Amino acid sequence: MICIAPGNPGVMIAGMVLWRSHVLRQVLRWAQNNADYVIPLYCFDPRQYLRTYYYGFPKTGPHRLKFLLESVKDLRQTLKKKGSNLVVRKGNPEDVVHDLITQLGSVTAVAFHEEATKEELDVEKALQRVCVQHGVKIQTFWASTLYHRDDLPFRHISRLPDVYTQFRKAVEAQAKVRPTVQMPDQLKPLAPGVEDGCIPVPEEFGQKDPLTDPRTAFPCCGGETQALMRLQHYFWDTNLVASYKETRNGLIGIDYSTKFAPWLALGCISPRYIYEQIRKYEKERTANQSTYWVIFELLWRDYFRFVALKYGTRIFLLKGLQDKEVPWKKDPKLFDAWKEGRTGVPFVDANMRELAATGFMSNRGRQNVASFLTKDLGLDWRMGAEWFEYLLVDYDVCSNYGNWLYSAGIGNDPRENRKFNMIKQGLDYDSNGDYVRLWVPEIQCVKGGEIHTLWALSNAALSQAGIALGETYPLPVVLAREWSRHINQKPNKRDHPPRGRKDPSDTPRQHKDRGMDFYFSRNKDLS
């Protein structure tokens, strides 16, 4: 952002290295109070469209690029309505800011949000060098988490617990969520002579605008406007939030979960705003385990970001946070089968095909395909993490790598050797096979839950369904011993909670509601 300070004929830049829209408010508020001119700036950094570090996949896929471009367009429209505009440039942020400082003359400050991981921090350092060279002040803000970094009940980030539950209990008991910052009704104008610039098109990044698959569970557009509409729908229009905990493990359709993640990843909506709306909903309508669970998941997001602050580049290393030696494989054929949805394990294949076609996958699906890649195939977890980085519309570096470390057993997980049973998971969460039929149509003629274990069907049954294993659909690339316990078993709706992230439903009865008891404590201010 670029601003001209009061009483100064020159310009102040309050610019963002990494753009946020809903969480941009803190930077805008500061700029409004300290400048005559404010220039909101978004840079399309070409380094974000190169290749991933270890395996060379594209860093930004077509679905996320589309969502980003929509979000930038929406931000520009919002700023225009308030008397400002969004300046858009293609180039390294440090070079763009250098050019703007040179063009505008007396720039007094550059402001941006701080990030947590190496590539972003390197850009921040480069910006600081540019500003020091020109005698320009740097003003930074922390705004991407529910709980502010400075409000954590730990003396230093090095004291952050290595177990999520310990972190959650500490912040719930000892920290407060800061209120959101209101956007001014009218914003300071751009400095004279500054062109707003054109928003690029996908072809400028060597990509095409992807078609929307009618089966997608995320048929949404980017931008704060759409994010607020989604929250209005999920909370106030339908009361879906009141049953979130019961539906969050769904697989088909948009309304089984909040779907806030893509907007959160770009800053189109802030976790603190969602928190405020949850508290308002609880006060005006109902407070239950489902409303709490939205906050519970926001805390996971916070936790992974603070873990990245604590461990730095270790979140990207093969041995993970635990410095653990694991004989990971790098088998390109197995990896290709996984990424293309050709493993011969229908529940895995359905999820991977959904990701490729739409840029989205359910939380339940992500846990399963990650467990399959790391525990059943034994492949380098970074292959999966970088593939997700490429394709996910809601890619967030801290959440993505934190979750992959967790799944690989080398991150923040107190239980060793956690492994998902693909067949049991399929029967538990897709009991009739509807999700598999949606995404793996070549086997859709198999009825019921038997679709999850095709290799166990008779030749006659396969022939009747028009399936020739190894020809029309692959044979399984691996058969885990524990799967056999669930072959020919009638599907059920979760007789027992599956192994996954630890939550109250997975704990012994006497400990089940401790988190809930605290949340609904008489001493807890729910206003």
Side-chain angles (χ1 to χ4, degrees), residues 276-483:
E276 288 180 349
Q277 289 292 301
I278 281 284
R279 301 301 292 272
K280 184 172 185 283
Y281 184 92
E282 290 176 329
K283 186 176 181 179
E284 296 181 8
R285 296 197 179 175
T286 188
N288 59 19
Q289 289 197 11
S290 287
T291 56
Y292 170 73
W293 217 255
V294 175
I295 298 172
F296 181 91
E297 295 292 356
L298 289 175
L299 279 172
W300 264 109
R301 182 178 176 275
D302 269 20
Y303 183 57
F304 283 137
R305 188 160 292 261
F306 295 134
V307 166
L309 284 179
K310 177 179 178 178
Y311 285 101
T313 56
R314 283 178 62 181
I315 69 171
F316 304 112
L317 300 182
L318 185 65
K319 296 180 181 180
L321 309 185
Q322 301 178 20
D323 199 29
K324 188 176 180 180
E325 290 278 1
V326 178
W328 302 110
K329 294 185 295 186
K330 298 180 181 180
D331 187 320
K333 290 185 178 179
L334 279 179
F335 180 72
D336 286 348
W338 178 82
K339 76 176 186 181
E340 295 166 10
R342 295 185 295 101
T343 68
V345 182
F347 192 55
V348 173
D349 292 347
N351 277 287
M352 294 306 298
R353 294 186 191 189
E354 179 186 16
L355 175 63
T358 71
F360 191 82
M361 187 193 297
S362 68
N363 179 60
R364 179 56 47 184
R366 297 180 199 201
Q367 293 182 64
N368 275 277
V369 300
S371 177
F372 184 78
L373 180 127
T374 58
K375 301 299 175 62
D376 289 304
L377 301 183
L379 294 177
D380 181 352
W381 65 273
R382 297 172 303 178
M383 300 173 86
E386 290 190 355
W387 189 249
F388 272 30
E389 178 176 352
Y390 163 44
L391 283 178
L392 281 176
V393 68
D394 61 348
Y395 171 73
D396 173 285
V397 57
C398 302
S399 294
N400 184 59
Y401 280 86
N403 273 303
W404 273 97
L405 288 165
Y406 188 98
S407 294
I410 54 176
N412 303 95
D413 188 354
R415 290 181 281 180
E416 293 187 8
N417 301 319
R418 179 196 307 270
K419 182 184 180 185
F420 280 68
N421 183 318
M422 294 301 108
I423 307 309
K424 185 179 189 305
Q425 289 278 301
L427 292 171
D428 281 345
Y429 294 101
D430 186 31
S431 58
N432 195 47
D434 294 335
Y435 175 71
V436 167
R437 284 185 202 88
L438 184 66
W439 290 104
V440 192
E442 64 266 36
I443 60 174
Q444 64 184 349
C445 291
V446 177
K447 297 180 180 179
E450 290 183 337
I451 200 169
H452 292 291
T453 53
L454 296 180
W455 57 91
L457 298 181
S458 66
N459 289 333
L462 289 170
S463 178
Q464 186 177 3
I467 298 170
L469 289 180
E471 297 178 18
T472 61
Y473 184 71
L475 287 161
V477 295
V478 65
L479 285 172
R481 190 185 320 175
E482 66 271 15
W483 295 357

Side-chain angles (χ1 to χ4, degrees), residues 4-49:
I4 298 185
N8 190 323
V11 179
M12 172 177 26
I13 300 181
M16 294 160 296
V17 189
L18 300 169
W19 164 75
R20 308 270 170 191
S21 101
H22 203 260
V23 296
L24 159 64
R25 295 177 176 186
Q26 192 175 14
V27 175
L28 274 175
R29 172 69 69 177
W30 177 84
Q32 284 286 110
N33 295 333
N34 291 277
D36 289 334
Y37 295 96
V38 178
I39 301 182
L41 169 68
Y42 181 74
C43 296
F44 284 89
D45 189 335
R47 292 166 294 200
Q48 293 300 315
Y49 305 92

Side-chain angles (χ1 to χ4, degrees), residues 474-526:
L475 287 161
V477 295
V478 65
L479 285 172
R481 190 185 320 175
E482 66 271 15
W483 295 357
S484 62
R485 300 197 301 268
H486 304 283
I487 292 176
N488 299 322
Q489 175 181 305
K490 289 184 178 181
N492 56 69
K493 303 259 180 158
R494 290 193 67 181
D495 287 338
H496 303 285
R499 290 174 291 176
R501 277 188 186 165
K502 192 172 183 179
D503 59 50
S505 66
D506 297 328
T507 57
R509 181 70 187 180
Q510 64 268 30
H511 301 301
K512 180 178 179 182
D513 296 318
R514 282 184 177 175
M516 300 303 297
D517 289 343
F518 174 82
Y519 188 65
F520 293 113
S521 165
R522 292 180 182 176
N523 297 324
K524 187 74 171 174
D525 180 16
L526 287 176

